[in-house]
């Protein structure tokens, strides 16, 4: 099945050119199925690029996915046109009474600030609490993941001496996890952050489990069954050129940053980078969507209404 996104969203033409099946809204309503509803709280500065990255991964599923773009209610994005925001985004306050099968919270360029100093922190905390009653499966990315484990468990983040920047080899720590089906023994994932969380701060009674880790970059992916959540501390969703764009942007702003490690062939920024993580990004998102599909209530209204065993198959989203 294709992904259902707004007809005029800029990501549509990019995805169609890549061969991703995209469904028009008028065609989606003709199919006698309930699409999986996935919300994307997009906190990244380049909204259009981030929309495309996640739509690409969600659209690879054989299921019909309806992606809803969500923004903080009172925060005004500075790097995206007001017309784009008004045309395609909904304030969280306007969707808070709705239910979602899945919900993604992206990273944000605020990681060097204390959490409580982020202007929209109080609303984000309300959103995290809301996911526990209105969302079946939560995925958090980079700073969004740091914010989630801080909110739910009080875990701190630590400033790094320099930006952890590049494509780092990772390994699987739990091969029985349904989220890691099909993963290779080791694999590469893009990393771009100035802070980190540490395994030692994971509360022993939390039930959280580290699923991916890197000797150089540290904790990468945590399964948090108590909150039906996956916390991804790196950028597996990135495009081939995302780190290059960041590198040249930082250099242009006189930010002291090294050439991204293991990224440009021969560490030469003049040579186009190769993508070593695309297949594993699709695997992770496909496995996450499948886990949601297997366990989400048949009736979307039942999401959050009663306890659901996140790790046990349930009623699939199907024809009504």
């Amino acid at each position: 099945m294709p992904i259902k996104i707004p007809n005029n969203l800029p990501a549509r033409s990019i995805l169609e050119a890549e061969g991703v099946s995209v469904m028009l809204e008028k065609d989606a309503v003709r199919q006698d199925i309930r699409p999986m509803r996935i919300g994307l709280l997009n906190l990244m500065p380049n909204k259009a690029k981030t929309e495309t990255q996640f739509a690409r991964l969600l659209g690879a599923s054989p299921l019909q996915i309806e992606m809803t773009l969500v923004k903080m209610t009172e925060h005004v994005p500075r790097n995206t046109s007001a017309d784009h925001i008004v045309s395609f985004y909904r304030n969280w306050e306007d969707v808070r009474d709705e239910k979602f099968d899945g919900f993604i919270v992206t990273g944000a360029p605020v990681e060097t600030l204390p959490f409580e100093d982020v202007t929209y922190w109080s609303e984000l905390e309300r959103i995290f609490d809301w996911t526990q009653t209105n969302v079946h499966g939560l995925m958090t990315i980079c700073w969004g993941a740091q914010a989630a484990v801080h909110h739910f468990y009080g875990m701190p983040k630590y400033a790094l001496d320099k930006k952890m920047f590049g494509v780092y080899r990772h390994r699987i720590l739990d091969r029985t996890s349904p989220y890691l089906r099909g993963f290779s023994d080791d694999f590469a994932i893009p990393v771009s952050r100035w802070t980190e969380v540490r395994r030692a701060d994971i509360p022993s009674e939390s039930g959280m489990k580290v699923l991916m880790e890197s000797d150089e970059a540290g904790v990468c992916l945590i399964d948090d069954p108590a909150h039906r959540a996956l916390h991804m501390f790196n950028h597996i969703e990135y495009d081939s050129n995302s780190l290059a764009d960041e590198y040249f942007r930082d250099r242009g702003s006189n930010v002291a940053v090294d050439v991204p490690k293991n990224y440009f062939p021969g560490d030469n920024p003049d040579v186009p980078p190769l993508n070593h993580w695309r297949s594993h990004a699709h695997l992770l998102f496909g496995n996450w969507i499948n886990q949601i599909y297997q366990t989400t209530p048949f009736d979307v209204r039942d999401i959050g209404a009663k306890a659901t065993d996140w790790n046990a198959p349930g009623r699939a989203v199907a024809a009504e």
Side-chain angles (χ1 to χ4, degrees):
M1 290 290 181
I3 185 170
K4 176 187 170 187
I5 57 178
N7 293 341
N8 297 320
L9 190 71
R12 175 179 294 277
S13 60
I14 298 172
L15 297 175
E16 289 176 337
E18 295 176 357
V20 177
S21 182
V22 183
M23 173 171 281
L24 294 173
E25 293 177 282
K26 66 180 179 63
D27 296 327
V29 297
R30 298 176 183 173
Q31 294 193 340
D32 189 24
I33 61 173
R34 174 173 84 76
M36 287 184 62
R37 297 198 68 208
I38 306 292
L40 176 66
L41 180 63
N42 189 353
L43 304 175
M44 294 290 277
N46 191 324
K47 303 292 186 215
K49 183 173 291 186
T50 302
E51 296 155 10
T52 303
Q53 290 167 353
F54 285 101
R56 177 185 295 118
L57 296 170
L58 296 173
S61 168
L63 306 173
Q64 186 187 130
I65 305 291
E66 177 183 310
M67 186 174 76
T68 301
L69 300 175
V70 183
K71 63 177 284 290
M72 308 303 293
T73 304
E74 298 181 357
H75 178 70
V76 179
R78 294 179 296 177
N79 299 289
T80 303
S81 73
D83 287 344
H84 185 89
I85 297 298
V86 170
S87 297
F88 302 117
Y89 279 78
R90 300 177 65 189
N91 291 330
W92 172 68
E93 288 288 351
D94 296 331
V95 303
R96 64 182 304 174
D97 292 330
E98 301 177 14
K99 301 292 183 79
F100 291 85
D101 298 289
F103 199 79
I104 300 168
V105 179
T106 73
V110 294
E111 60 180 305
T112 58
L113 294 174
F115 292 114
E116 292 74 14
D117 288 351
V118 175
T119 56
Y120 48 78
W121 177 248
S122 61
E123 183 176 9
L124 184 58
E125 288 199 296
R126 295 194 299 274
I127 291 173
F128 283 139
D129 290 337
W130 165 84
T131 65
Q132 301 307 288
T133 58
N134 287 59
V135 172
H136 185 64
L138 172 66
M139 180 184 285
T140 61
I141 307 290
C142 200
W143 180 83
Q146 294 181 354
V149 298
H150 179 71
H151 172 72
F152 289 130
Y153 297 105
M155 289 177 60
K157 59 184 173 71
Y158 299 88
L160 299 170
D161 293 334
K162 63 179 181 178
K163 189 176 186 179
M164 185 69 67
F165 195 34
V167 180
Y168 295 86
R169 296 178 68 175
H170 287 69
R171 62 182 180 277
I172 291 174
L173 300 184
D174 182 5
R175 293 198 169 280
T176 67
S177 171
Y179 303 111
L180 302 182
R181 293 190 185 104
F183 269 69
S184 305
D185 291 336
D186 71 349
F187 44 91
I189 295 179
V191 180
S192 176
R193 48 182 165 78
W194 294 91
T195 57
E196 67 177 3
V197 298
R198 296 174 181 170
R199 174 194 280 269
D201 291 321
I202 298 175
S204 59
E205 72 281 2
S206 67
M208 289 199 293
K209 180 181 291 186
V210 178
L211 300 183
M212 295 181 188
E213 194 170 42
S214 166
D215 290 337
E216 294 180 86
V219 174
C220 174
L221 182 69
I222 291 179
D223 182 10
D224 181 6
H227 297 98
R228 300 184 308 281
L230 276 184
H231 305 300
M232 161 59 68
F233 297 92
N234 300 322
H235 282 290
I236 198 169
E237 83 284 1
Y238 265 7
D239 294 326
S240 300
N241 291 323
S242 295
L243 292 180
D245 291 343
E246 290 187 16
Y247 172 71
F248 292 119
R249 179 203 65 199
D250 288 350
R251 290 291 300 271
S253 301
N254 294 317
V255 176
V257 62
D258 294 337
V259 173
K261 193 171 184 179
N262 309 317
Y263 179 57
F264 294 110
D267 290 331
N268 183 352
D270 294 326
V271 180
L274 298 176
N275 191 311
H276 297 286
W277 61 91
R278 182 184 296 113
S279 59
H280 287 94
H282 280 280
L283 274 174
L284 179 64
F285 274 77
N287 289 338
W288 180 65
I289 290 169
N290 181 64
Q291 188 69 2
I292 293 174
Y293 176 82
Q294 295 293 335
T295 60
T296 196
F298 177 79
D299 190 331
V300 69
R301 293 171 297 182
D302 290 337
I303 291 174
K306 56 186 177 180
T308 303
D309 185 351
W310 178 233
N311 293 311
R315 292 177 294 171
V317 178
E320 294 183 320

